[in-house]
Amino acid sequence: MGMCFAAARTRKFTDGKHLRDLVQHLPRTKYHRIKTSKPDGRRRDYWVYECRRSLKDIGDVTIILSKQRRNTGPKKTKIIVTNLEGASAGQVLSYYARRWGIEVTIKETQEWLASGTDAGDEGVRRVFRGRWRCRCWRT
C-alpha cells in the first residue's frame, strides 16, 4: 500500500543525519520547475528536488522538497515523503494536494464540534470522540 505524507524536519535518515540538513544546505540549482494541476483543474508551478533515501523507522522512500518560488528560503520548503514506485514528483504533489483538502475538512469539523458549550452540542461531540463510537443524542 502506498503512502504520501508531509514529513517533519526532525526526522532522521538511517545514517543519523537530519532531514532538515538536506533542506537547509541544498543549493537552489538542484531544484527544477514542474507543472502540476490543482484539484480544481488550474495549473500550478512548483520548484522541486527529488531524491531516493532511507528514513529511520520507515525505510526506502522518495523525498520531494517543494517550494512555490525558486528563491524561497528553506523555512518555506515543504517536505513530502512517498513510497509510491514510479510516481513522478508532479503526481505526488497532486495526490498530496487532494489529500490536504480532506485534512483541512477533518480539522475544521473537529474544531467546530469542540467549540460548542451548549448542552445540546455535547451529544453531537460524543459521536466524534474516541474511536468514532456512536452514541445517541438526548432529547
Side-chain angles (χ1 to χ4, degrees), residues 9 14 16 36 38 40 50 53 58-59 76 90 93 102 104:
R9 296 177 193 292
T14 52
T36 63
K38 293 175 94 176
D40 60 2
E50 186 176 0
R53 298 284 296 267
I58 295 179
K76 293 198 175 187
L93 289 175
I102 296 167
V104 169

Side-chain angles (χ1 to χ4, degrees), residues 72-125:
T72 302
K75 289 191 177 189
K76 293 198 175 187
T77 301
K78 303 282 187 253
I79 304 168
I80 300 172
V81 175
T82 184
N83 68 347
L84 297 172
E85 293 290 330
S88 69
Q91 289 172 327
V92 172
L93 289 175
S94 294
Y95 296 152
Y96 185 72
R98 279 186 246 139
R99 177 66 189 165
W100 184 248
I102 296 167
E103 294 292 335
V104 169
T105 303
I106 290 170
K107 183 176 181 188
E108 288 175 351
T109 303
Q110 289 173 342
E111 288 174 356
W112 177 76
L113 291 171
S115 68
T117 56
D118 187 16
D121 290 342
E122 183 63 30
V124 176
R125 281 188 280 162

Side-chain angles (χ1 to χ4, degrees), residues 7-102:
R9 296 177 193 292
T10 56
R11 204 167 265 288
K12 290 186 177 182
F13 295 112
T14 52
D15 62 2
K17 294 182 181 179
H18 285 92
L19 191 52
R20 70 174 167 249
D21 295 334
L22 174 67
V23 176
Q24 187 75 30
H25 301 294
L26 188 69
R28 71 177 183 203
T29 57
K30 298 286 185 180
Y31 288 87
H32 65 278
R33 186 167 64 181
I34 62 165
K35 299 171 179 108
T36 63
S37 58
K38 293 175 94 176
D40 60 2
R42 294 182 295 163
R43 193 184 102 183
R44 181 75 185 178
D45 291 350
Y46 291 99
W47 290 87
V48 299
Y49 171 77
E50 186 176 0
C51 67
R52 188 95 177 139
R53 298 284 296 267
S54 182
L55 289 176
K56 189 176 180 182
D57 299 329
I58 295 179
D60 292 333
V61 293
T62 301
I63 299 169
I64 298 172
L65 305 180
S66 171
K67 51 188 181 178
Q68 291 184 354
R69 292 178 181 83
R70 186 175 187 185
N71 295 328
T72 302
K75 289 191 177 189
K76 293 198 175 187
T77 301
K78 303 282 187 253
I79 304 168
I80 300 172
V81 175
T82 184
N83 68 347
L84 297 172
E85 293 290 330
S88 69
Q91 289 172 327
V92 172
L93 289 175
S94 294
Y95 296 152
Y96 185 72
R98 279 186 246 139
R99 177 66 189 165
W100 184 248
I102 296 167

